[in-house]
Each structure stands twice: as C-alpha cells, then as structure tokens.
C-alpha cells in the first residue's frame, strides 16, 4: 500500500514506526490520513514481522487534530460521515492485538489527543502539551475522547479539560494519568524504542490477549459512545458557533460565540 500521509518503517526486531507525515500542517488528521491509518492498523494484524507499533509525528508536533481547512463548509450529515472514518481508525487501533505506543513529540490537540488515547501506552517528551481544543471552535471532543478521557482522569478533570480547552503540560499529563512516562525531548525516540524492543521480547500471544481482555473490561460500550458522539457532533457542525469558531481560528482571533 502506497501511503501519502503516513510513513511506515519496519525494523528487523519487529518494531514498526508509523509517522504522521503532514508537518506543513502540523500533522493535522485529514480524511486521507485517517483512512491510511485505519487501513494500516487493519492490515498489520496479519503481518507476523510486526510485533509492536510506535506511532509518532514528523517534525516537532504529534498532531494538531482535525484539519479545519477541510471542515469550513461541513454540514451535520457530512460531518457525521467524516467522523465515521475517524471512528474506524480508532477502532482499528483498539482492536489490534499488538501493543501500540504513542510517542507524543510536541503538541497533541483535539483529535490528536484522541489518537494518542486510543493507543495502549503514551510516552511524551517534555515539550509535549495536550489540548482538548474542540470548545474553541464550537465542537465536542470526538474520535472516542469523551469515552477514553473520563475513564483515565475522572469526570471532573475531563470536563475541565474539555470545557476550557487549556494546555496541559507533559508533567501535568503524567500527574493526571494521561501519559505513562515523560522523557527528554532528545531522548524520546531512544526511550520509546527501548520500551518497544522490550515488548517485542515478550510473549506476543499473551500480550495480545492482555490487550483484548483489558479493553473488553473497560471499553464494552465504546462503539455506542462513538455512535452518540456522531449525532452530537453533527448538531455542532450545523451550528453558528462552529462557523464562528472556524472563522476565528483562521483569522487568528478569539471567537465570539452565541451571537444572535
């Protein structure tokens, strides 16, 4: 499969690196990238040469989230359809019976946070920040974030992140339980690969079953949650607040919501 938005490399030890490769737009998750990630994680389950996947971003950003340039004229029906590819992407990561490590190298915003949350382990560098930026453009968190985040950090903390859209530093994310480890900017790659190599030496069937059973114990209603998310986000796509939020984003100003 020829990928245009991601780079895939497989090392001899079974560590596969998947790099989000749209640095010119801070690795924003456009529709082709979501589809390529979905297809990769769906197909890699049958590749015995791959034991562990490391997901990271090209440049100094993990992912800026959804590509708003492609969302300016999205209505509710099309917005919900667009979410479907993102839901398939998230499910392909969650359902893969192989460890997936998110190496967060800089900012993860909006759907970029959701992508990291779908992974099994999150290692962040000191420069990493996590931003639930959906409220800034009049949307709700999507791609499973509403499901994953409260289960990680609790209802009140999750709602604070979602309501305010403030930056959460790597150290704050560690304290909250969003990430497993925080490492130096220059050592992120080495530290993640040491961890990945350690996992390649583990019992692959057992690791896969651990992931499947743990996910079953806490994620049984993920598909229903994402279905409801699709309806809610469709309503937001139809709103004047979303239009104002996107215009403000591109005009680099603070949005003025709830205008009559």
């Amino acid at each position: 499969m020829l990928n245009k938005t991601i780079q895939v490399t497989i090392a001899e030890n079974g560590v596969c690196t998947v790099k989000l490769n749209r640095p010119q737009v801070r690795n924003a998750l456009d529709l082709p990238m979501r589809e390529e990630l979905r297809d990769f994680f769906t197909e890699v389950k049958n590749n015995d040469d791959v034991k562990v996947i490391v997901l990271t971003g090209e440049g100094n950003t993990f992912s800026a989230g959804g590509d708003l340039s492609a969302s300016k004229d999205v209505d509710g029906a099309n917005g919900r359809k667009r979410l479907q590819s993102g839901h398939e992407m998230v499910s392909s990561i969650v359902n893969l019976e192989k460890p997936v490590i998110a190496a967060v190298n800089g900012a993860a915003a909006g759907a970029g946070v959701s992508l990291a949350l779908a992974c099994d382990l999150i290692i962040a560098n000191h420069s990493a920040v996590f931003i639930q930026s959906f409220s800034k453009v009049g949307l709700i968190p999507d791609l499973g974030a509403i499901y994953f985040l409260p289960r990680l950090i609790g209802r009140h903390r999750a709602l604070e992140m979602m309501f305010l859209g403030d930056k959460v530093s790597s150290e704050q994310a560690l304290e909250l339980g969003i990430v497993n480890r925080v490492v130096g900017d220059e050592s992120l790659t080495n530290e993640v690969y040491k961890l990945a190599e350690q996992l390649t030496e583990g019992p692959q069937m057992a690791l896969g079953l651990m992931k499947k059973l743990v996910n079953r114990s806490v994620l049984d209603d993920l598909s229903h949650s994402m279905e409801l998310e699709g309806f809610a986000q469709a309503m937001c796509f139809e709103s004047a607040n979303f239009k104002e939020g996107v215009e403000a984003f591109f005009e680099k100003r603070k949005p003025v919501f709830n205008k009559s």
Side-chain angles (χ1 to χ4, degrees):
M1 181 175 65
L2 179 63
N3 295 309
K4 295 181 179 180
T5 68
I6 62 174
Q7 286 183 345
V8 178
T9 56
I10 303 173
E12 291 184 1
N13 62 1
V15 177
C16 176
T17 302
V18 180
K19 192 171 283 190
L20 310 179
N21 191 33
R22 300 183 71 216
Q24 69 278 11
V25 288
R26 297 183 296 159
N27 299 321
L29 290 158
D30 64 353
L31 185 59
M33 180 181 281
R34 297 179 190 200
E35 292 176 343
E36 288 187 9
L37 285 170
R38 175 203 63 199
D39 292 345
F40 166 79
F41 281 106
T42 300
E43 295 169 9
V44 78
K45 66 182 178 182
N46 298 317
N47 188 340
D48 294 335
D49 293 331
V50 174
K51 297 178 181 178
V52 179
I53 295 95
V54 174
L55 179 64
T56 192
E58 177 63 39
N60 58 6
T61 301
F62 180 72
S63 174
D67 191 343
L68 284 178
S69 65
S71 302
K72 287 183 177 181
D73 300 316
V74 172
D75 59 18
N78 289 330
R80 188 159 175 253
K81 186 176 180 180
R82 281 171 54 84
L83 276 184
Q84 184 177 358
S85 66
H87 291 163
E88 292 170 351
M89 174 191 71
V90 167
S91 295
S92 69
I93 297 171
V94 172
N95 294 330
L96 178 65
E97 292 183 30
K98 298 181 181 186
V100 182
I101 305 171
V104 180
N105 55 316
V113 177
S114 305
L115 180 60
L117 292 175
C119 298
D120 306 312
L121 301 173
I122 304 177
I123 313 300
N125 65 10
H126 285 300
S127 296
V129 292
F130 297 81
I131 315 164
Q132 284 285 33
S133 52
F134 297 93
S135 64
K136 303 292 188 182
V137 294
L139 294 177
I140 66 165
D142 59 21
L143 304 194
I146 282 181
Y147 190 90
F148 289 117
L149 197 59
R151 284 161 173 76
L152 274 177
I153 68 176
R155 172 173 171 265
H156 293 132
R157 297 275 195 177
L159 284 173
E160 181 180 9
M161 281 186 66
M162 293 174 183
F163 284 169
L164 301 180
D166 290 340
K167 291 181 180 180
V168 173
S169 70
S170 58
E171 295 296 340
Q172 289 172 316
L174 180 63
E175 184 178 347
L176 287 169
I178 296 172
V179 306
N180 295 86
R181 304 177 188 176
V182 175
V183 300
D185 289 6
E186 290 76 21
S187 60
L188 176 65
T189 299
N190 288 338
E191 292 297 325
V192 169
Y193 275 86
K194 281 196 294 185
L195 175 60
E197 189 170 26
Q198 183 179 348
L199 290 173
T200 65
E201 296 169 355
Q204 297 305 300
M205 179 182 291
L207 295 182
L209 289 171
M210 287 177 204
K211 174 175 177 175
K212 184 173 184 177
L213 293 174
V214 168
N215 285 348
R216 181 176 292 274
S217 73
V218 297
L219 303 180
D220 269 349
D221 291 324
L222 173 60
S223 60
H224 184 234
S225 177
M226 290 197 296
E227 181 180 355
L228 294 176
E229 168 195 295
F231 283 107
Q233 195 71 297
M235 294 173 64
C236 291
F237 276 128
E238 294 279 7
S239 70
N241 280 338
F242 173 60
K243 182 179 180 181
E244 164 64 11
V246 173
E247 288 178 356
F249 175 83
F250 285 104
E251 293 170 6
K252 301 187 184 304
R253 60 175 174 82
K254 183 178 179 179
V256 181
F257 292 131
N258 310 314
K259 295 187 292 188
S260 57

